[in-house]
Amino acid sequence: MQIVGCDFHPQWQQVSFLDQETGEYREAKLVNGDGEAERFYRSLSPGALVGIESCGNAQWFIDLLSSLGHTVWVGDAAKIRASYVRKQKTDRRDADHILKLLVEDRFPRLWTPSAKQRDLRQLLIHRHKLVEIRTRVKNGLQHLAMNRGVQKQSRLWSVRGRAELEKLPLEGWSARRREDLLELMKGLDRQVKELDEAVVQAAREDAKAELLMSQPGVGPITAMAFVLTIGDVSRFEYSGKVASYLGLIPSEYTSGGKRKLGAISKQGNRFMRQLLVEAAQTACRLDEGFRKQYQARCHHKPKAVAKVAAARRLAVRLYWMLRLNKRYPEIAHIESSSGVPLAIHGRDVE
């Protein structure tokens, strides 16, 4: 079997190649833009195993290898680096180390989404970015209104508020800025509405997303994002690993019998955490169980901490809904029943 350890960079890549049948080993630095890298992988026998670290802007490379019939493993960059004890870091050493992990069957392989899942992720990301731009446009219009003594906050976007904004006595570039921002917001509203409809349609066609939407506070966007982020739910042995994957567990430094917990690690998907916090606030209003726990925490913790705790609990519940294929309120009844413990591999629901 032919195995390649690849230290990938956008412009070029360093590879270490091993043919296990002949024992041939060689190293090479390949340029991506002039076709040199593609010619190298075409020269390999179909079915070669190629390992790379997870990184951005490498999808074209993964698609190329897949089209040539090779197997691509994407590894956890942090775990790969942690398994390398030497302080001398070079591209050749990195490629050799990836090859060594592949040969020794120690490569920390990551789950990778399908082409359809990647495309749906782009839908959610594109909508999220447009909403961020629209928020900045609204903030600019609020600034113009407040400078003229108009403080309507969210009421500025009502029909009456928009009419008053358009009639403000502005001159020169201030008036031009108002016109351009209003035009931008009009276009953004139309685009976001189209994307919202596409997300709703995708969520209706996805059985897992439709299951999650039975939980109060979880809409099509949060449900689709959770399904696309978690992927195969069976790869998480218990709920604590999901919370850790999403960066919703506290950072910890325990040594010498002393335990110190800090803020949440934030090592997961920032977009997913933001959606969970927003959805958890709605769940605390609509779900009695969430509301009671949130109010109890607010008595001895800051509200921000209570919101994050509610987001973590919501992530755990969505995990178990997928794991057990149970809808709300059945999943809430199972959680609250001491006679039906949720445990897998000896680990209880957290």
Side-chain angles (χ1 to χ4, degrees):
M1 182 178 184
Q2 296 177 324
I3 304 178
V4 180
C6 175
D7 183 33
F8 180 85
H9 299 273
Q11 295 183 348
W12 52 275
Q13 56 186 274
Q14 180 73 35
V15 298
S16 293
F17 167 81
L18 174 65
D19 191 326
Q20 290 183 314
E21 295 182 359
T22 64
E24 178 188 3
Y25 169 83
R26 65 176 186 267
E27 300 174 347
K29 181 177 179 180
L30 309 174
V31 179
N32 296 326
D34 62 0
E36 182 181 13
E38 182 176 351
R39 289 192 295 271
F40 170 78
Y41 290 104
R42 287 188 181 277
S43 67
L44 303 181
S45 302
L49 175 61
V50 182
I52 66 172
E53 293 181 347
S54 60
C55 60
N57 305 320
Q59 191 57 52
W60 69 269
F61 177 58
I62 297 174
D63 292 341
L64 171 63
L65 296 179
S66 299
S67 66
L68 296 176
H70 301 317
T71 301
V72 186
W73 285 7
V74 180
D76 188 327
K79 291 184 178 179
I80 292 175
R81 181 56 187 165
S83 64
Y84 189 58
V85 297
R86 298 196 61 167
K87 292 186 177 181
Q88 293 80 11
K89 182 185 184 305
T90 65
D91 295 325
R92 292 180 60 186
R93 289 184 184 275
D94 289 346
D96 279 341
H97 185 59
I98 293 174
L99 176 62
K100 180 180 178 181
L101 294 176
L102 290 170
V103 172
E104 297 178 354
D105 198 21
R106 295 191 296 119
F107 188 75
R109 186 181 178 185
L110 293 174
W111 170 81
T112 53
S114 64
K116 181 179 179 181
Q117 289 172 324
R118 292 197 305 269
D119 189 52
L120 288 174
R121 283 184 175 187
Q122 292 301 314
L123 166 62
L124 295 176
I125 292 173
H126 182 45
R127 179 198 173 278
H128 177 64
K129 295 300 183 181
L130 290 183
V131 170
E132 286 185 337
I133 296 173
R134 185 176 63 179
T135 300
R136 296 179 65 180
V137 170
K138 286 185 174 181
N139 290 341
L141 290 170
Q142 287 278 12
H143 170 72
L144 290 174
M146 292 175 67
N147 268 346
R148 290 297 182 271
V150 178
Q151 300 187 26
K152 289 183 172 294
Q153 299 181 351
S154 61
R155 291 175 298 160
L156 187 65
W157 315 123
S158 64
V159 175
R160 182 177 298 179
R162 289 282 292 269
E164 186 173 349
L165 175 63
E166 294 174 358
K167 293 179 181 178
L168 285 178
L170 300 177
E171 299 178 355
W173 288 107
S174 294
R176 172 64 182 274
R177 184 186 180 194
R178 176 182 57 187
E179 294 174 7
D180 291 348
L181 290 179
L182 286 172
E183 188 66 25
L184 278 174
M185 192 170 72
K186 181 179 178 181
L188 289 169
D189 285 339
R190 175 181 53 80
Q191 295 179 57
V192 171
K193 182 179 179 181
E194 294 175 357
L195 296 177
D196 284 341
E197 294 173 353
V199 173
V200 171
Q201 182 64 28
R204 289 175 178 172
E205 296 173 355
D206 191 293
K208 293 181 179 179
E210 195 272 337
L211 174 70
L212 297 184
M213 285 191 292
S214 64
Q215 165 65 40
V218 176
I221 296 173
T222 304
M224 282 300 302
F226 193 84
V227 170
L228 296 174
T229 301
I230 298 301
D232 183 7
V233 72
S234 62
R235 64 195 181 103
F236 299 98
E237 295 181 7
Y238 52 92
S239 58
K241 288 196 172 183
V242 174
S244 176
Y245 182 76
L246 297 173
L248 289 171
I249 62 172
S251 56
E252 180 177 0
Y253 182 80
T254 300
S255 180
K258 296 182 179 180
R259 189 183 188 198
K260 183 179 180 181
L261 298 178
I264 59 173
S265 64
K266 296 186 179 181
Q267 289 185 308
N269 189 313
R270 183 179 65 176
F271 176 47
M272 188 70 251
R273 279 197 308 276
Q274 178 180 339
L275 291 178
L276 285 171
V277 172
E278 293 174 355
Q281 295 179 70
T282 306
C284 289
R285 295 196 302 268
L286 304 177
D287 189 312
E288 184 179 0
F290 273 86
R291 181 170 62 253
K292 288 181 178 179
Q293 287 199 6
Y294 173 75
Q295 291 175 347
R297 284 195 177 95
C298 286
H299 287 307
H300 56 88
K301 294 286 186 180
K303 284 189 176 181
V305 175
K307 290 178 182 179
V308 173
R312 181 183 185 278
R313 188 188 176 202
L314 179 60
V316 169
R317 172 168 290 183
L318 297 182
Y319 163 78
W320 283 109
M321 291 176 72
L322 293 177
R323 190 68 183 262
L324 301 178
N325 195 30
K326 301 293 184 182
R327 301 175 65 88
Y328 182 89
E330 184 180 3
I331 190 67
H333 294 159
I334 294 175
E335 285 182 355
S336 61
S337 175
S338 59
V340 189
L342 296 180
I344 292 182
H345 301 301
R347 302 299 295 267
D348 295 334
V349 172
E350 301 184 8

